[in-house]
Amino acid sequence: MRPIRLACGVAAALLATACAATGTTTQPSTGPQAEVEPGYLAVADDALPSGGTLNLQVHIDSGAATGYDPQLADVATTWQLLSLAYETLVTVGPDFSVQPLLAEKWETPSPTEYVFHLREDVSFSNGRKMTADDVVGSFERLLASKSVWRGQLGAVKSVTKDGDHTVKVTLKEPYTPFLAALANVPAAVLPMKEINDKSVDPATTLLGTGPYVVKDHRQDVSWTFKRNEKYWAKGKPAADTLNITIAPEEAARVAALQNGSAALATLGNVDSAGMLAGAGDVKVVTQATTDFYYLMLNTKAPASKFADPKVRQAIAIALDQRQIADIALGGKGEPSAVTPAGLPGACDPAALPSASKGIDDAKRLLAEAGAQNLTFTLSIYSTQPAPAVAQVIQQNLQQAGITVKIEQMDEAGWSGKVYGKAPAEFDAALSWFAGYADPGMVTKWWNPEEAGFNVGFMTPDKELNALIDAAGKEPAGAAREKALAAVCAKADADAQMIPLVTRPATVAFRTDALSPSLYSTEGYGNVLRLVADARVKKSQ
Amino acid sequence: MKRLDRLSLGGLACLLVLVVFALGSLAGAGGDPDAIVGPRLRPPGPGWWLGTDNLGRSMLPRVMEGVGTTLLLSSIAVLVTAAVSATFGIIAGYRGGYLNELVMRLVEVLYSFPAIVLAILVAAVLGPGQVAALASIVLATIPLMTRLVRAAAVAVSQRDYVTSAVISGARLPRVLGRHVLPNVAGTIAVQGTYALSVGIAVEGGLSFLGFGVQPPQASLGVLIQRGGTYMIAAPWLILGPGVVLVVAILAINVVGDGLRDQLEPRETRSLT
């Protein structure tokens, strides 16, 4: 009788689950996240006392392969960590507007001239006052470096100082995204005196003007930051100590939130809110970002399957961006063109040439290219939601008769495969770009000669490059929107990198332990942008 | 020959049902395991009898595919383990000396690694996927089976009929193949069922860590890994594959116990 009892038990358990679950369907939550103030998902309570230890958890450490030199940092996760110690001349507000930071104000006498007036009370964490020489030196060092960010600054003609607290930048030609490009970590002001006399190596030592200084770092394990006692902003940072634990497993970060060992954690699963619904003191919020996923089709591999543009265009047509957003991202993403959805002046992805065509058009293009039975491997990293996005892509392309084999690997292995060789050997790969605060910035990455990192798998298109440059010169307004629309259409036809959907950033924090400030939107992949404002209610 | 007892027959019946389940998946029963068929994270209901997952795929065909993947991987791995362990265990047990020492020390080195650590090491070298999972299961199950086969071969080698064969001029392959192997076959069969359950558990662990089968292919480990993430919001995602995994391992162990009772009747059963 025991097997019968066992079978009955199993059946009863299944039935109980089905009944218990009825009516608890987890639907995609669409629409904007509720704001506590315009532009903010959370605002730190200034009435709470400063001090205490803030325990955070993130999924990945900075990319140590390039060291900690902010100018050479090329991934958003590194920018996020370095932003605790380094600052830029300007920053961005919740509406993507450029705001003062180390420069308290600036003037633009002409479309090619920018005059920055520096704060006089800013010191590096070693106590030395920041001067115009540091700003000029940082510019010159960045422009002379192999930094991927160099191209984002436009054509800089000269950088000169006028006294100790004024710096003038002259461009060779107008470049509208210039200020937004200065708002990211690679454009941080470095301690040039110490770098020049070699008493500090920025690749190994973090010495900036930011709110925190590094006390301890164990690669892939943890960071400990202490408050910068010389920090210029009065009353900041609020927390004395930041402990950042690197916890690659999402389940570990969720458990840390539940048991209180973490006050805030970044999460990858778009359904985190539902999964943490039972944890009363945990609040889950989703930042809308301008970051977006994109599909890379390698045209430089020997005997590339994507050398014919018709094949790439067929793939672009067969992709259902709305389904990717609704299914893989739980309704929290939005279809995007090469200009990130959500930014003022960005193109409408529904107006792209590929969006007006259907599966039959995709099949016809494949037939014309002699690629009816196209099969390729899609290389992805295992961090969610990339595998979910890849599987929806696989289903989309199956409709056009394209077979996709998914190859999942850890982030380091994936990065080596995609960026490690030129020509690269992968077929196709999935990743995401930070979308920044100006719709023209990320389009720069569609020019491999300027971006550099994709030269191993992307063939330059002179016409597209010219359109990108032309859009950069146009001042904000209707003419620029038209120029950006031309970039979007050309990039859509080129289809070597196909924009997919915006990437939501999910953050969870314990309301009994922390009162943080969080923007509703973010453009540089930096969830910790306002961490200096966060008030610790109780240290774990 | 004694018949299997009722418990073992029940275990065998469960295994047969699971095999039919897996074959049904190959034949397309239950639907396409990769197809997005409905809303995401729906509880069991008409159209998706085991619910839908986070990509709106019906869990029923995915569990069926998962059973097939896991059983197939584990079975192939156990056959490889049996072949390798039988070869080296019998030779080491029969010949003794330096050869015995070499085989045993190698086996002990392998034995000193926890199975899942060994599996991660293999996956790191070979890259994640079915080959890595297969190799991991083989490496995890070889040490114990080789030691047991070697112990059985030592005992059999001292029997009179083996000595007679040697004196009568039988060559080594014949002695091992005709006189030693048949008499250690029972040990291999019994240990094989244990290795099968270890294989399922290792595959599950490996896929749980992301080193096993690749998406969208389902295995019980993959399904449990994803289901575990949604345990609170969508418990049906882990319940189906979890129950099947428990039933499979239980059934295999029960059958293994029954086989041991038949082939080594003096041993005491552990599950009665």
Side-chain angles (χ1 to χ4, degrees):
Chain A
M1 292 299 288
R2 274 178 293 175
I4 293 172
R5 275 191 226 143
L6 179 66
C8 290
V10 169
L14 283 167
L15 191 63
T17 305
C19 293
T22 303
T24 61
T25 305
T26 307
Q27 289 288 351
S29 65
T30 53
Q33 178 84 35
E35 295 181 332
V36 296
E37 271 183 26
Y40 288 83
L41 296 173
V43 177
D45 182 358
D46 289 342
L48 290 168
S50 296
T53 298
L54 175 49
N55 294 313
L56 312 175
Q57 293 205 354
V58 297
H59 83 282
I60 191 168
D61 203 347
S62 61
T66 54
Y68 307 117
D69 187 334
Q71 294 184 340
L72 298 180
D74 55 3
V75 292
T77 46
T78 304
W79 299 338
Q80 178 171 269
L81 285 161
L82 296 183
S83 72
L84 299 171
Y86 290 101
E87 288 181 319
T88 46
L89 288 177
V90 295
T91 186
V92 288
D95 55 355
F96 298 116
S97 62
V98 179
Q99 304 284 330
L101 193 59
L102 294 180
E104 60 185 354
K105 59 182 180 178
W106 63 88
E107 293 123 26
T108 313
S110 77
T112 57
E113 293 175 298
Y114 294 82
V115 179
F116 296 97
H117 300 279
L118 309 180
R119 292 184 190 277
E120 296 186 12
D121 53 350
V122 176
S123 297
F124 290 100
S125 56
N126 63 357
R128 184 177 68 76
K129 287 276 185 188
M130 182 192 79
T131 68
D133 288 327
D134 294 302
V135 178
V136 173
S138 297
F139 262 108
E140 289 172 344
R141 184 176 184 270
L142 177 61
L143 294 169
S145 73
K146 292 182 177 175
S147 169
V148 70
W149 204 251
R150 195 179 41 168
Q152 287 290 354
L153 298 182
V156 178
K157 183 179 177 185
S158 65
V159 183
T160 54
K161 70 169 188 174
D162 181 8
D164 271 353
H165 297 99
T166 304
V167 172
K168 181 180 179 184
V169 180
T170 307
L171 306 180
K172 291 175 185 166
E173 57 192 14
Y175 181 62
T176 303
F178 179 69
L179 287 174
L182 291 185
N184 199 15
V185 165
V189 177
L190 306 184
M192 290 311 299
K193 177 179 176 294
E194 289 80 359
I195 290 173
N196 288 335
D197 67 21
K198 300 193 187 308
S199 60
V200 164
D201 177 3
T204 57
T205 305
L206 277 68
L207 176 60
T209 62
Y212 287 100
V213 292
V214 177
K215 185 186 177 198
D216 183 47
H217 175 221
R218 289 183 290 159
Q219 182 65 37
D220 297 328
V221 177
S222 65
W223 288 81
T224 302
F225 289 88
K226 288 282 184 189
R227 62 179 294 133
N228 175 5
E229 299 295 347
K230 309 286 190 308
Y231 193 53
W232 56 272
K234 300 301 174 208
K236 292 186 182 180
D240 289 335
T241 305
L242 290 185
N243 288 327
I244 301 179
T245 301
I246 313 300
E249 280 294 321
E250 173 112 354
R253 277 171 276 138
V254 168
L257 283 166
Q258 287 172 322
N259 68 24
S261 57
L264 183 146
T266 58
L267 300 174
N269 194 316
V270 293
D271 297 308
S272 298
M275 291 184 291
L276 281 162
D281 293 325
V282 178
K283 184 175 182 182
V284 183
V285 294
T286 302
Q287 268 188 337
T289 75
T290 61
D291 312 341
F292 61 87
Y293 287 98
Y294 65 100
L295 181 66
M296 295 168 251
L297 301 177
N298 184 357
T299 57
K300 284 199 164 179
S304 168
K305 297 170 180 176
F306 308 111
D308 189 332
K310 288 179 179 173
V311 176
R312 306 196 300 267
Q313 287 160 8
I315 290 172
I317 291 167
L319 288 169
D320 184 343
Q321 292 172 303
R322 175 50 64 190
Q323 190 180 44
I324 293 171
D326 287 346
I327 298 289
L329 302 179
K332 294 187 174 72
E334 285 297 325
S336 181
V338 66
T339 53
L343 278 178
C347 319
D348 178 4
L352 295 176
S354 64
S356 62
K357 297 188 172 71
I359 288 295
D360 289 339
D361 297 303
K363 287 179 177 172
R364 180 180 50 77
L365 284 169
L366 288 171
E368 286 173 10
Q372 294 95 327
N373 299 312
L374 178 65
T375 299
F376 67 87
T377 300
L378 174 58
S379 301
I380 61 166
Y381 44 80
S382 54
T383 309
Q384 287 292 346
V389 173
Q391 289 175 78
V392 179
I393 289 174
Q394 187 183 48
Q395 290 294 303
N396 286 169
L397 298 189
Q398 197 178 50
Q399 305 294 316
I402 300 169
T403 304
V404 179
K405 182 188 167 200
I406 297 172
E407 177 187 45
Q408 184 175 295
M409 54 191 83
D410 63 276
E411 293 210 17
W414 177 89
S415 185
K417 179 155 192 170
V418 174
Y419 303 119
K421 283 185 183 174
E425 292 174 351
F426 68 93
D427 284 346
L430 179 71
S431 188
W432 61 274
F433 283 133
Y436 317 120
D438 180 283
M441 287 176 71
V442 75
T443 65
K444 287 270 189 179
W445 303 146
W446 264 253
N447 178 353
E449 289 165 336
E450 200 150 299
F453 61 83
N454 48 7
V455 75
F457 60 84
M458 193 173 181
T459 307
D461 181 322
K462 285 182 182 174
E463 193 183 336
L464 176 58
N465 294 348
L467 289 171
I468 293 168
D469 290 342
K473 292 174 193 168
E474 289 286 351
R480 185 161 194 244
E481 287 183 22
K482 191 177 172 186
L484 287 171
V487 172
C488 291
K490 181 61 184 162
D492 185 59
D494 179 63
Q496 294 187 71
M497 293 200 296
I498 304 172
L500 300 171
V501 292
T502 55
R503 172 186 170 272
T506 306
V507 187
F509 59 94
R510 288 195 66 94
T511 53
D512 60 341
L514 182 67
S515 175
S517 285
L518 292 163
Y519 282 163
S520 304
T521 54
E522 170 59 42
Y524 298 80
N526 189 357
V527 169
L528 305 183
R529 179 176 293 281
L530 303 178
V531 76
D533 296 343
R535 301 279 169 151
V536 178
K537 290 182 178 174
K538 65 176 183 186
S539 298
Q540 290 77 22
Chain B
M1 195 176 189
K2 202 169 75 174
R3 287 184 59 194
L4 284 173
D5 60 38
R6 288 177 60 189
L7 190 58
S8 305
L9 285 172
L12 200 58
C14 280
L15 282 180
L16 284 175
V17 168
L18 290 177
V19 169
V20 169
F21 210 51
L23 291 175
S25 171
L26 289 177
D32 180 353
D34 303 333
I36 297 166
V37 297
R40 57 200 306 276
L41 299 175
R42 278 291 169 103
W48 35 81
W49 293 104
L50 291 180
T52 63
D53 68 5
N54 63 316
L55 295 181
R57 298 175 296 201
S58 173
M59 282 299 290
L60 178 61
R62 290 193 65 71
V63 171
M64 291 172 75
E65 184 189 41
V67 169
T69 304
T70 300
L71 285 184
L72 186 68
L73 265 180
S74 305
S75 303
I76 292 173
V78 167
L79 286 176
V80 174
T81 296
V84 172
S85 295
T87 304
F88 287 100
I90 289 173
I91 292 174
Y94 179 77
R95 293 299 292 263
Y98 288 117
L99 197 59
N100 176 52
E101 290 297 320
L102 180 66
V103 171
M104 285 301 100
R105 296 301 82 78
L106 284 174
V107 161
E108 280 161 9
V109 168
L110 278 180
Y111 208 41
S112 64
F113 287 95
I116 204 68
V117 173
L118 200 63
I120 291 170
L121 186 69
V122 171
V125 174
L126 296 179
Q130 291 196 62
V131 175
L134 197 69
S136 301
I137 297 169
V138 169
L139 287 176
T141 51
I142 272 182
L144 186 58
M145 190 181 281
T146 305
R147 286 172 72 144
L148 290 173
V149 171
R150 178 245 173 209
V154 167
V156 170
S157 301
Q158 293 161 359
R159 299 276 167 86
D160 291 344
Y161 55 83
V162 175
T163 309
S164 303
V166 172
I167 291 170
S168 62
R171 295 190 173 194
L172 182 66
R174 184 177 174 81
V175 173
L176 297 184
R178 290 293 298 274
H179 300 289
V180 181
L181 179 61
N183 289 290
V184 299
T187 303
I188 295 171
V190 173
Q191 189 57 27
T193 60
Y194 170 72
L196 198 59
S197 63
V198 170
I200 291 173
V202 169
E203 187 281 324
L206 207 57
S207 295
F208 181 85
L209 295 171
F211 294 120
V213 298
Q214 298 293 289
Q217 187 179 7
S219 74
L220 292 180
V222 166
L223 295 175
I224 289 169
Q225 179 214 9
R226 295 299 301 153
T229 312
Y230 288 90
M231 197 182 292
I232 305 295
W236 57 89
L237 295 185
I238 195 168
L239 196 70
V243 167
V244 169
L245 183 65
V246 168
V247 168
I249 292 180
L250 197 64
I252 289 165
N253 279 297
V254 163
V255 171
D257 268 9
L259 279 176
R260 187 183 62 183
D261 262 10
Q262 270 214 323
L263 299 168
E264 301 169 17
R266 281 174 297 180
E267 293 289 327
T268 306
R269 287 195 64 174
S270 58
L271 285 182
T272 53

